[in-house]
Amino acid sequence: GDSVTQMEGPVTLSEEAFLTINCTYTATGYPSLFWYVQYPGEGLQLLLKATKADDKGSNKGFEATYRKETTSFHLEKGSVQVSDSAVYFCALGGRGGATNKLIFGTGTLLAVQP
Amino acid sequence: DAGVIQSPRHEVTEMGQEVTLRCKPISGHDYLFWYRQTMMRGLELLIYFNNNVPIDDSGMPEDRFSAKMPNASFSTLKIQPSEPRDSAVYFCASSVDRGYEQYFGPGTRLTVT
């Protein structure tokens, strides 16, 4: 069945460092891909999405490119801030996929130190 | 729009008591999802509805859990009787269509003592 695999955390970075959080997926059909962010004590918020191969989603300085050939959707940011400290979830779903549900990864905790 | 609304935000109850969590989805969203989040298990989908009809409840842990959606603007998740292992954060989410991005509420933090 469909699945999402994220890199294990926690990821600890200094402020202004470059961030990459890896995400790979297994899916039937042509799903959409999402990144969600969860700040401490809050619900999940949609960070960005891509609906087809080679699409790039971007928001708040974060980017991720839908790579069908490598079945990946890695999250990147050029310069992280302390305020980016949160848990990041990769997810797949979408009308081109085989499911009505979003399939979430296990989440990656990012801690940014000043 | 106000987003997905959940109540209460925090609930502390004793083992054996009935607990009811409430959710109001975003207006116009046809799908509603209930999740549970714990450190041990992460984010788990419990049940979801389409147009007020339960579609998949395979994630509901046991018969003590039940969920209803009497109309398009309201859903409840009930635990009766509650147990300490039910302690978790429960999220409600809604989406406009199948597989589209989901919008999450702020969650209800349940503590069962």
Side-chain angles (χ1 to χ4, degrees):
Chain A
D2 293 1
S3 66
V4 173
T5 302
Q6 285 183 239
M7 64 187 289
E8 295 269 339
V11 174
T12 302
L13 296 174
S14 298
E15 206 165 23
E16 299 184 1
F18 184 86
L19 168 71
T20 300
I21 300 178
N22 290 339
C23 172
T24 57
Y25 67 91
T26 302
T28 55
Y30 303 94
S32 296
L33 298 171
F34 308 87
W35 276 102
Y36 281 80
V37 59
Q38 184 178 27
Y39 299 103
E42 299 184 10
L44 279 71
Q45 302 174 23
L46 179 65
L47 180 59
L48 54 83
K49 68 177 182 180
T51 58
K52 61 183 187 297
D54 300 325
D55 267 4
K56 177 185 285 188
S58 61
N59 186 24
K60 299 181 182 179
F62 291 89
E63 292 182 341
T65 301
Y66 189 160
R67 302 280 189 203
K68 196 169 188 302
E69 65 275 14
T70 55
T71 63
S72 64
F73 193 55
H74 304 322
L75 182 68
E76 296 182 335
K77 186 175 186 183
S79 176
V80 293
Q81 306 299 312
V82 172
S83 57
D84 294 325
S85 298
V87 180
Y88 292 82
F89 293 89
C90 185
L92 70 84
R95 303 178 75 182
T99 177
N100 292 339
K101 304 179 285 190
L102 290 187
I103 308 298
F104 284 90
T106 54
T108 302
L109 174 64
L110 170 65
V112 181
Q113 298 175 339
Chain B
D1 203 316
V4 175
I5 299 172
Q6 291 186 248
S7 65
R9 292 294 311 275
H10 301 274
E11 177 80 38
V12 180
T13 191
E14 293 183 348
M15 182 174 62
Q17 297 298 307
E18 176 180 295
V19 175
T20 300
L21 311 181
R22 298 173 176 80
C23 175
K24 176 179 168 57
I26 293 172
S27 177
H29 283 194
D30 290 336
Y31 285 80
L32 183 139
F33 305 80
W34 281 101
Y35 291 88
R36 177 172 69 177
Q37 186 177 42
T38 61
M39 290 294 292
M40 291 298 294
R41 292 198 176 92
L43 190 66
E44 302 173 276
L45 176 65
L46 301 178
I47 185 172
Y48 77 92
F49 296 81
N50 175 215
N51 291 325
N52 313 337
V53 176
I55 303 300
D56 183 353
D57 65 354
S58 59
M60 296 286 262
E62 43 195 280
D63 291 346
R64 297 184 297 107
F65 286 68
S66 62
K68 294 182 180 179
M69 193 165 185
N71 58 61
S73 58
F74 184 65
S75 177
T76 59
L77 178 67
K78 185 176 294 186
I79 308 173
Q80 167 63 16
S82 58
E83 296 182 3
R85 60 193 167 121
D86 302 330
S87 297
V89 182
Y90 291 82
F91 290 106
C92 176
S94 68
S95 69
V96 65
D97 200 352
R98 179 169 75 88
Y100 276 45
E101 60 265 30
Q102 295 175 19
Y103 293 87
F104 282 73
T108 295
R109 181 173 295 278
L110 173 65
T111 303
V112 183
T113 61

